[in-house]
């Protein structure tokens, strides 16, 4: 309410009343602003050159946006005085660039070319071998699983829980893939779509394939048997690799699977 009142009165700085009775207001305002800014996933808004401590000071003003023709808060930083730059000048539409935090489970990144469906996987001439840990057939199967985020969790857990594929987790990139598949929340399901289910295949609205609390929670809440059984089998296969030697090549696989299971628990 206080912020709305200041906005209506076109108060751009902290007046004496607020400064006297709410000295923490300015700090709280700036902390909230930086928190929202760093949640942005578009890499174009983040300057990567070196800045000093004083350059991070936020400059607030209320002005008419030339594009929207409406009064709004204008926040500048990454510089002092006239050298400061608006924070969100490039964020007028959803980000079209690559994600600031790239997923480790994107099949396109793993294959080195664009992959959006299982058909795209079939047209890849040479699939990644991950240091010869996977053959072409297994690599094709894994990339195909990664093209269906809504159901890939039990599929990928089952993929690595076999006796002939557990050793593939000795490759760090495959361990990162399994971690990403397990813990990345995936597409968010808006509250307006609660209770609705797709009527067509593929779904007429991609948002219907989202979840309210993340893919892992969704699997454990609606069909836990497939995920839990695959996780237990993966643990069993990892423990079978124990050679009683902490310097063995299988140690990293065992520790990785144990971390995965503990975090899922």
């Amino acid at each position: 309410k206080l912020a709305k009142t200041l906005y209506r009165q076109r108060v751009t700085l902290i007046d004496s009343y607020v400064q006297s009775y709410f000295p923490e207001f300015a700090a709280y305002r700036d902390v909230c602003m930086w928190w929202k800014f760093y949640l942005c996933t578009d890499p174009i808004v983040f300057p990567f050159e070196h800045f000093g401590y004083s350059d991070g000071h936020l400059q607030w003003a209320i002005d008419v946006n030339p594009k929207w023709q409406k009064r709004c808060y204008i926040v500048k930083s990454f510089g002092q005085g006239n050298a400061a730059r608006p924070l969100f000048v490039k964020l007028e539409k959803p980000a079209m660039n690559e994600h600031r935090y790239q997923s480790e489970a994107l099949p396109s990144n793993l294959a080195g070319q664009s992959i959006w469906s299982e058909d795209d996987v079939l047209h890849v001439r040479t699939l990644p071998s991950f240091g010869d840990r996977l053959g072409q057939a297994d690599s094709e199967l894994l990339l195909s699983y990664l093209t269906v985020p809504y159901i890939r969790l039990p599929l990928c857990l089952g993929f690595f829980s076999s006796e002939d594929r557990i050793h593939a987790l000795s490759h760090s990139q495959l361990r990162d893939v399994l971690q990403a598949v397990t813990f990345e929340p995936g597409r968010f399901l808006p509250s307006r779509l609660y209770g609705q289910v797709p009527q067509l295949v593929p779904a007429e609205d991609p948002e219907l394939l989202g979840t309210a609390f993340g893919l892992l929670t969704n699997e454990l809440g609606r069909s836990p048997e497939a995920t839990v059984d695959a996780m237990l089998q993966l643990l069993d296969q990892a423990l079978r690799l124990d050679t009683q030697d902490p310097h063995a090549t299988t140690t990293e696989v065992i520790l990785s699977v144990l971390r995965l299971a503990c975090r899922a628990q």
Side-chain angles (χ1 to χ4, degrees):
K1 291 183 179 179
L2 177 60
K4 291 182 178 179
T5 301
L6 295 176
Y7 177 80
R8 295 192 188 100
Q9 296 176 354
R10 303 192 180 193
V11 176
T12 60
L13 300 175
I14 307 299
D15 63 13
S16 58
Y17 173 83
V18 177
Q19 185 68 31
S20 175
Y21 290 94
F22 305 98
E24 72 281 3
F25 176 77
Y28 180 73
R29 175 200 62 186
D30 291 353
V31 167
C32 290
M33 187 68 217
W34 280 123
W35 173 67
K36 291 186 176 183
F37 181 74
Y38 275 91
L39 285 178
C40 177
T41 60
D42 193 334
I44 68 171
V45 306
F46 290 90
F48 293 101
E49 61 263 32
H50 176 74
F51 285 97
Y53 173 79
S54 58
D55 294 327
H57 174 70
L58 293 178
Q59 302 179 24
W60 293 78
I62 296 179
D63 203 350
V64 176
N65 185 290
K67 184 177 181 63
W68 303 328
Q69 295 300 315
K70 293 182 179 180
R71 287 193 310 120
C72 62
Y73 281 111
I74 305 296
V75 187
K76 297 182 179 181
S77 187
F78 299 119
Q80 302 181 31
N82 295 331
R85 293 175 288 179
L87 291 185
F88 295 104
V89 67
K90 298 180 180 180
L91 295 182
E92 298 177 359
K93 296 181 179 180
M96 299 300 293
N97 299 277
E98 63 180 12
H99 202 285
R100 182 183 174 207
Y101 304 102
Q102 285 286 308
S103 170
E104 298 291 346
L106 285 178
S108 299
N109 290 349
L110 298 175
Q113 65 182 70
S114 180
I115 293 180
W116 296 100
S117 67
E118 186 177 357
D119 292 337
D120 295 330
V121 177
L122 298 176
H123 289 86
V124 179
R125 291 191 175 185
T126 303
L127 295 165
S129 63
F130 303 99
D132 295 329
R133 266 70 167 190
L134 293 179
Q136 291 293 287
D138 285 343
S139 183
E140 177 185 332
L141 188 61
L142 177 60
L143 293 182
S144 298
Y145 289 163
L146 296 179
T147 62
V148 283
Y150 191 79
I151 61 174
R152 70 185 182 183
L153 176 54
L155 294 176
C156 289
L157 287 174
F159 176 86
F160 287 107
S161 63
S162 64
E163 186 176 355
D164 59 330
R165 297 193 187 111
I166 185 67
H167 293 276
L169 292 176
S170 60
H171 194 277
S172 60
Q173 191 173 21
L174 289 175
R175 293 196 298 270
D176 292 340
V177 168
L178 189 57
Q179 290 278 344
V181 167
T182 305
F183 298 112
E184 286 182 359
R187 187 190 298 273
F188 176 73
L189 180 68
S191 58
R192 59 183 171 80
L193 297 178
Y194 285 0
Q196 299 185 33
V197 296
Q199 301 297 322
L200 301 173
V201 178
E204 63 275 20
D205 185 355
E207 287 189 326
L208 289 173
L209 298 180
T211 62
F213 302 103
L215 292 171
L216 178 60
T217 304
N218 185 69
E219 289 289 340
L220 295 177
R222 298 184 180 275
S223 56
E225 294 83 5
T227 300
V228 172
D229 290 348
M231 185 72 73
L232 292 176
Q233 189 174 357
L234 184 66
L235 270 172
D236 181 66
Q237 291 293 341
L239 294 177
R240 290 175 184 269
L241 301 179
D242 186 12
T243 61
Q244 307 299 321
D245 181 6
H247 304 290
T249 57
T250 58
T251 301
E252 189 60 45
V253 176
I254 298 171
L255 294 176
S256 175
V257 172
L258 287 175
R259 286 193 297 267
L260 182 78
C262 290
R263 290 170 181 169
Q265 184 185 26

